[in-house]
Amino acid sequence: MNDVAIRVEQLSKQFRIGAAKRRHDTLRDQLMDGLKSLLPWAGPRSLFSVQRGTPTDSIWALKDLSFEVKQGEVLGLIGSNGAGKSTLLKVLSRITEPTAGRAEIYGRVGSLLEVGTGFDRELTGRENVYLSGAILGMRRAEIDRKFEEIVAFSEVEKFIDTPVKRYSSGMYVRLAFAVAAHLDPEILLVDEVLAVGDAAFQKKCLGRMDAVTKGGRTVLFVSHNMAMIENLCPRALLLHNGAIASVGPTKQVIQAYLSTLSDLARDPIATRTDRQGAGEIRTVGLELLDADGRESASPVSGQRAIFRLHFRADSHKIFKNCRVSLSVHKDEICYFLLSTELVDNTPVDLRGTGFIDFAVPNLPLSASTYHLNTFIESNRVVQDWVMRASSFSVIDGDFYGAGRNYPSGWQGRCVLVPFSWELGNHASAPVSPQESSASEQGSATPSIV
């Protein structure tokens, strides 16, 4: 019996970049181009032409991919932006055709590639459930059977017959995900769809995906959240520049992925000449360590990280009352400062060579690339100051324990802080006649926010 759900053999996808269709400004232009394509003397049989001087270079989004996914297996697909993950899922979903090679799929396929596919803002939530479900491949009888469950999952029961253009963005994505999450295929292709809704809904979505992966379905799961990949996928595949860089147990593949990212440079800082200060003490190296004290290629949001600064001081001299600092920046913004005098009043004396560890219990950075500035002073005399001493990349982690760290699009634009929230009750507050009148007028045509 064949136990293979997906078989990919020498699969490649090429895109042409720089080619553009000529714009038709008028109906006459369209008719003339169409006529030329039918006349043998009027040029090539084409309804578009490439603009002169426009480059027609090509890129390989996928190159010679070969792998198998067994029935009932949950395979994680990881890699940096542009590695080819989404292109692969679109080929497997038959959204786009491969340039070369083949993919064999055994079973009904469902794709959760873009939350909200098929939604029409003028239609009600009820109508959009049926429309989007049909586009995603669900039969009407199947939607009828699951309708109440979909609506209950989305938590928009009160507004299901309201046009979705009146929904808040959170309500919109909750309903859209609820439809997609109730597909019942044998093979499910998932691309970053858990980056929707608020933290509570994120947790519900994660629970739904966990149930799907444990329900015996074949799942190909794409995410930048390594904690989620490790939790849901026993095996993973790493794509790098459109090719398979590693495939195997998830932890092993994640380590291979982290090693491809930019690491803290230790050697260049010792020879940097663009530094300020007296120079009797210098930063000569930087390391990044994980919670176990092992060198790490890149830290993970929400996990313990240790920034180690190596110093060298002039021989046979003790430098009193030292202050050693590291500051973390992105572009021109300082996200946080690590400095010896901030958390301890104990004087710091430096001599010879050594290092200082700055331990951050829960790294509060969202996924992006950052740079470090280093600073050392003794008795208020600046000894060494290096701007952009090194850089490092942060990987998504489950900082809040809810399956996501921050709203989509905020990568590298915020720091993450532990917090809680509580809804207060103002029901006892007096309501003015104007507010009461406005409420009565708005009840006929609700505006949902």
Side-chain angles (χ1 to χ4, degrees):
M1 181 178 178
N2 186 6
D3 63 345
V4 175
I6 301 174
R7 178 180 288 118
V8 174
E9 297 178 346
Q10 301 297 310
L11 188 69
S12 299
K13 177 62 180 178
Q14 185 183 45
F15 290 105
R16 188 169 61 174
I17 58 176
K21 294 183 180 180
R22 189 176 63 175
R23 177 182 175 186
H24 293 115
D25 291 320
T26 66
L27 177 60
R28 183 187 66 178
D29 293 336
Q30 285 186 306
L31 293 175
M32 289 303 296
D33 266 6
L35 178 61
K36 289 178 182 179
S37 70
L38 299 176
L39 300 177
W41 45 265
R45 295 176 60 84
S46 174
L47 291 179
F48 69 91
S49 61
V50 178
Q51 295 177 345
R52 291 183 179 181
T54 303
T56 57
D57 295 333
S58 297
I59 59 170
W60 290 94
L62 302 173
K63 188 65 175 177
D64 296 329
L65 269 61
S66 295
F67 65 92
E68 290 184 351
V69 184
K70 302 295 185 182
Q71 292 183 7
E73 182 180 4
V74 182
L75 179 68
L77 188 59
I78 63 178
S80 57
N81 291 333
K85 306 182 299 297
S86 296
T87 300
L88 175 58
L89 292 196
K90 287 178 180 178
V91 170
L92 296 178
S93 301
R94 297 186 177 90
I95 294 174
T96 185
E97 293 184 357
T99 304
R102 58 186 287 128
E104 299 174 354
I105 300 178
Y106 302 92
R108 181 188 176 193
V109 178
S111 302
L112 280 70
L113 304 186
E114 294 184 12
V115 172
T117 298
F119 265 40
D120 186 323
R121 294 180 59 82
E122 297 299 324
L123 299 180
T124 66
R126 182 185 302 273
E127 292 166 335
N128 271 300
V129 167
Y130 282 90
L131 176 61
S132 181
I135 291 174
L136 292 172
M138 300 172 71
R139 299 178 180 87
R140 184 177 180 85
E142 184 180 1
I143 301 174
D144 287 338
R145 187 174 67 255
K146 297 180 178 180
F147 182 81
E148 296 299 330
E149 184 180 355
I150 291 171
V151 175
F153 187 93
S154 69
E155 302 173 1
V156 298
E157 297 98 325
K158 292 174 59 177
F159 312 105
I160 194 61
D161 291 308
T162 300
V164 298
K165 66 182 179 181
R166 298 187 181 277
Y167 284 16
S168 68
S169 58
M171 294 171 63
Y172 185 93
V173 295
R174 289 203 303 269
L175 184 60
F177 182 87
V179 176
H182 285 78
L183 288 169
D184 193 21
E186 296 164 301
I187 300 171
L188 187 59
L189 309 177
V190 184
D191 187 3
E192 288 287 10
V193 297
L194 295 185
V196 298
D198 54 25
F201 191 72
Q202 279 283 316
K203 192 170 185 178
K204 180 187 287 190
C205 294
L206 186 60
R208 178 72 186 183
M209 289 307 306
D210 188 51
V212 168
T213 57
K214 292 178 180 178
R217 300 183 198 175
T218 304
V219 181
L220 192 54
F221 187 73
V222 170
S223 178
H224 284 96
N225 191 322
M226 296 300 104
M228 190 180 299
I229 288 285
E230 189 170 345
N231 182 51
L232 296 178
C233 310
R235 195 166 72 103
L237 183 151
L238 171 62
L239 282 180
H240 181 65
N241 291 333
I244 296 177
S246 179
V247 61
T250 300
K251 286 187 177 180
Q252 174 183 319
V253 175
I254 289 176
Q255 286 300 317
Y257 171 51
L258 297 179
S259 69
T260 66
L261 301 173
S262 60
D263 194 2
L264 282 170
R266 286 175 291 175
D267 296 331
I269 192 174
T271 57
R272 289 269 294 269
T273 58
D274 57 335
R275 58 208 311 155
Q276 303 176 46
E280 294 180 292
I281 314 172
R282 286 195 171 196
T283 300
V284 295
L286 291 167
E287 286 184 276
L288 184 60
L289 309 177
D290 63 16
D292 298 320
R294 297 173 301 191
E295 185 174 358
S296 173
S298 191
V300 178
S301 294
Q303 295 188 12
R304 180 180 174 86
I306 299 173
F307 296 87
R308 175 169 290 179
L309 182 150
H310 293 264
F311 67 86
R312 182 175 63 238
D314 282 356
S315 302
H316 312 299
K317 184 177 181 179
I318 299 177
F319 294 87
K320 298 286 187 177
N321 300 317
C322 294
R323 177 164 68 97
V324 182
S325 302
L326 283 175
S327 54
V328 178
H329 300 252
K330 182 170 177 61
D331 301 323
E332 301 305 319
I333 300 173
C334 179
Y335 276 23
F336 60 81
L337 171 69
L338 307 172
S339 191
T340 51
E341 93 282 8
L342 291 177
V343 293
D344 195 342
N345 292 323
T346 304
V348 178
D349 298 336
L350 301 180
R351 65 181 298 176
T353 60
F355 61 86
I356 293 179
D357 284 349
F358 295 94
V360 181
N362 302 293
L363 188 68
L365 298 175
S366 50
S368 190
T369 299
Y370 303 84
H371 68 266
L372 292 170
N373 293 351
T374 65
F375 182 87
I376 303 176
E377 71 173 20
S378 174
N379 284 323
R380 299 190 177 183
V381 174
V382 176
Q383 293 289 345
D384 193 49
W385 186 4
V386 184
M387 305 290 288
R388 294 183 177 269
S390 190
S391 63
F392 63 99
S393 295
V394 175
I395 302 302
D396 278 346
D398 198 359
F399 187 90
Y400 294 109
R404 105 170 177 180
N405 293 333
Y406 39 78
S408 178
W410 279 76
Q411 290 89 339
R413 296 174 56 195
C414 62
V415 291
L416 312 173
V417 295
F419 71 95
S420 62
W421 66 272
E422 182 178 354
L423 178 65
N425 185 1
H426 296 284
S428 59
V431 179
S432 67
Q434 293 83 357
E435 290 174 328
S436 176
S437 176
S439 175
E440 292 173 358
Q441 292 174 0
S443 63
T445 307
S447 179
I448 303 160
V449 295

